[in-house]
Amino acid sequence: MHLGMVIDLKRCVGCQACTVACKSENGTPPEVLFTKVLEQVAGEYPIIKKKFIPVLCNHCEDAPCVRVCPTGATHKREDGIVLVDHQKCIGCRACYVACPYKNRIFLQKGSLKKGYFGKQLTPFEQVKYPKWQEGVVVKCTFCVERVDQGLDPACVQTCPADARVFGDLSNPESKVSRLIRQRGGYQPLSEDNTEPSVYYLE
Amino acid sequence: MPLVASEFVSGFRLQTEWATLIAAAFFFGKIGAGLFLMSLFTGSWLGALLGLLIVLIGKGGAHLLYLGRPERFWRGLTKPGTSWVARGFWAMLIMMVAGAIFLALPPGSAGWWIAEVIAGISAFIVAIYDGFLLNASPSIPLWNTAMMPVLCLFYSLLGGTSLTLFLINFGLATVRIQEAFLSHMEIVLLITNLIAVGLYLISMTHATAAARKSLQLLVGGTYAVPFYGLAIGVGLVFTLLMAYFVGVAGGPGVVGLITAADLVGHYFIFFLLLRVGVYKPVLGQLTI
């Protein structure tokens, strides 16, 4: 099995519902976003073109972050999901710098001491924060706890435009494989030979 | 397409994670390893000891200060098979152990020779591995070039030569090589470094858009003043002119000035190369 995601840029409306769903699912501290929607604008008024690009960890087949990690904290599961073992991470940020997509976040010292409403953590933050550690690198896990239960990642589940599709890339009959085949799905920065598991459709 | 600061806008982005402390670690690693290698060449016991201490305290200390979880630093030895961070850590460790044995044993003994060879090889790796570490990142095209290890090697040898001359002129070390030879070697290395930096920058003009964006920042943008003033002006041109026209004949004061200028340039060139690292836009440039 090789899990991956297809993102249809024609469907994405830039509502950031995926961003919020991800934060809600993972309970990440302020300024830590595992997924977000970027805007890209070209041209000058009145001839303007705007594109929304949802981004997240691409769980690359040949992930530079896995290669450069000196401790083995960043590792890849059998199903292709790239994870960080927070107990092993030393916070050297070699992976952060090596990721061509800049989709890794370093949890600074003190980042878990304050929440969205100041130093007093909300009950939600009090429940979610214990799973994080300061001084380590964190990133999107494809909502691995949900995937292990047979569910889609939170961003896929919540997308109102069905712009995100999650599935098995190794199965030629899966929806993701068919979309890539029929619509000419392409990988971001394919010239870097990282073989991302996230494909985009135009 | 301009550099973007907003987190929600696609475009070229500056690398911000590796800066002052990593530049300091690279700097101390290179001058320490360079001094150690030059001390093996010139037979300076004190130089070798200082080289080891610079790497241990300077480089090791900067890395420890930088780590998010310094108490787990030993885990950095785990994956030398694929990680240049781990390889560099191993090289540092071997250099420390073999270097200490080399300094402790009586010169000429079998153990002394073996320790010298092992320490020399590991010091060479410490001197150049930063270049491979940067080269291994496909994310930042400015660093993703085979010129990086070459730059590291030449800067390391230059730093080592300058510091050896400094030690000799301040009466702190006696060497088996003539001072004039070292002085000429310093001039040759300064010219070599100028050429290497020039070639590196020229190669970047033909590289990808992100590399050219980095280059613009370095030679014509925010970082142009420290680049021309400190990295090139003070670090290479002033040092070269002083070394060529005055050199060791000017006495310890001049040699001290040359060494200080060389070290300032050495720190700033790698600091600036780290600061101007630019990531590519995720899906390239949008056109109408």
Side-chain angles (χ1 to χ4, degrees):
Chain A
M1 186 185 279
H2 175 197
L3 293 171
M5 191 181 287
V6 171
I7 299 174
D8 190 341
L9 297 178
K10 275 192 175 158
R11 283 175 175 259
C12 180
V13 293
C15 67
Q16 303 281 2
C18 49
T19 313
V20 176
C22 173
K23 287 207 71 81
S24 171
E25 173 66 26
N26 292 295
T28 50
E31 295 170 36
V32 176
L33 302 168
F34 290 169
T35 187
K36 59 194 167 196
V37 183
L38 304 180
E39 285 181 10
Q40 203 175 27
V41 182
E44 281 182 22
Y45 179 82
I47 306 163
I48 297 237
K49 194 171 173 183
K50 190 171 190 178
K51 186 158 78 172
F52 295 109
I53 309 167
V55 291
L56 70 163
C57 171
N58 290 291
H59 297 271
C60 305
E61 271 283 274
D62 187 11
C65 55
V66 174
R67 211 165 48 226
V68 301
C69 178
T71 68
T74 299
H75 59 284
K76 198 147 72 86
R77 299 205 319 180
E78 289 276 302
D79 55 11
I81 296 180
V82 177
L83 298 174
V84 181
D85 183 342
H86 298 161
Q87 301 299 329
K88 286 185 180 175
C89 180
I90 58 173
C92 69
R93 284 160 270 181
C95 57
Y96 185 107
V97 174
C99 174
Y101 312 98
K102 213 172 185 289
N103 280 330
R104 288 182 157 246
I105 302 118
F106 177 69
L107 284 185
Q108 298 284 355
K109 294 269 163 66
S111 57
L112 297 177
K113 293 200 170 53
K114 58 179 192 300
Y116 272 91
F117 300 96
K119 285 187 178 171
Q120 180 65 46
L121 299 183
T122 62
F124 173 75
E125 287 163 342
Q126 285 171 23
V127 171
K128 290 289 191 180
Y129 279 18
K131 79 170 178 176
W132 304 115
Q133 277 186 35
E134 291 174 354
V136 302
V137 169
V138 294
K139 64 171 211 64
C140 158
T141 62
F142 263 165
C143 290
V144 70
E145 299 91 351
R146 291 175 60 89
V147 169
D148 286 344
Q149 293 173 48
L151 300 169
D152 278 343
C155 56
V156 176
Q157 166 100 5
T158 207
C159 181
D162 262 344
R164 293 180 184 235
V165 183
F166 185 72
D168 182 7
L169 294 168
S170 63
N171 176 5
E173 295 311 314
S174 66
K175 190 174 177 187
V176 282
S177 296
R178 276 191 282 117
L179 279 169
I180 292 166
R181 204 165 51 239
Q182 289 163 3
R183 304 259 315 268
Y186 64 93
Q187 296 160 309
L189 299 177
S190 54
E191 69 271 23
D192 286 340
N193 293 320
T194 57
E195 288 294 321
S197 301
V198 174
Y199 286 74
Y200 289 89
L201 306 175
E202 292 271 12
Chain B
M1 189 185 271
L3 272 172
V4 294
S6 166
E7 210 175 347
F8 292 95
V9 175
S10 174
F12 293 104
R13 283 173 191 281
L14 263 182
Q15 180 285 126
T16 51
E17 277 307 312
W18 281 3
T20 317
L21 279 173
I22 290 291
F26 286 3
F27 168 74
F28 286 121
K30 281 196 285 292
I31 63 163
L35 178 59
F36 186 82
L37 284 170
M38 286 307 298
S39 301
L40 296 187
F41 177 57
T42 58
S44 165
W45 190 91
L46 184 73
L49 176 67
L50 279 177
L52 284 182
L53 290 176
I54 290 170
V55 173
L56 180 67
I57 299 168
K59 183 177 173 64
H63 276 310
L64 277 180
L65 284 174
Y66 179 75
L67 288 184
R69 307 294 298 207
E71 74 278 11
R72 299 178 190 161
F73 77 95
W74 55 272
R75 284 190 181 275
L77 291 164
T78 317
K79 274 185 62 194
T82 58
S83 165
W84 275 104
V85 175
R87 287 169 191 163
F89 194 179
W90 270 108
M92 251 180 87
L93 198 67
I94 295 168
M95 182 186 165
M96 291 303 126
V97 174
I101 294 169
F102 164 73
L103 291 174
L105 289 177
S109 62
W112 183 84
W113 279 111
I114 294 168
E116 185 183 30
V117 170
I118 295 171
I121 294 169
S122 51
F124 180 78
I125 297 169
V126 171
I128 62 165
Y129 92 93
D130 304 342
F132 286 105
L133 174 64
L134 294 171
N135 177 31
S137 285
S139 52
I140 295 165
L142 183 76
W143 305 344
N144 190 215
T145 159
M147 282 295 286
M148 270 292 169
V150 179
L151 273 182
C152 288
L153 176 63
F154 287 140
Y155 264 97
S156 177
L157 291 176
L158 175 61
T161 310
S162 298
L163 283 173
T164 305
L165 278 168
F166 178 86
L167 291 177
I168 296 168
N169 273 272
F170 279 81
L172 298 169
T174 47
V175 294
R176 59 175 175 242
I177 306 285
Q178 281 197 345
E179 196 182 355
F181 176 83
L182 284 176
S183 184
H184 289 141
M185 188 171 159
E186 185 181 37
I187 292 168
V188 170
L189 281 168
L190 280 163
I191 295 168
T192 311
N193 274 18
L194 259 175
I195 294 169
V197 171
L199 287 175
Y200 171 67
L201 297 181
I202 288 168
S203 72
M204 284 302 129
T205 60
H206 302 292
T208 61
R212 291 201 300 276
K213 192 68 78 178
S214 293
L215 194 61
Q216 280 169 18
L217 285 173
L218 191 65
V219 301
T222 326
Y223 299 102
V225 173
F227 176 69
Y228 290 123
L230 297 172
I232 302 296
V234 172
L236 292 175
V237 178
F238 172 76
T239 317
L240 179 60
L241 293 176
M242 288 294 284
Y244 186 78
F245 289 111
V246 189
V248 289
V254 171
V255 174
L257 188 65
I258 293 172
T259 309
D262 171 48
L263 297 183
V264 166
H266 188 151
Y267 176 79
F268 273 96
I269 192 147
F270 285 94
F271 171 72
L272 292 169
L273 288 178
L274 288 178
R275 289 307 298 254
V276 300
V278 169
Y279 291 95
K280 295 166 267 190
V282 180
L283 292 186
Q285 198 162 349
L286 182 66
T287 51
I288 287 191

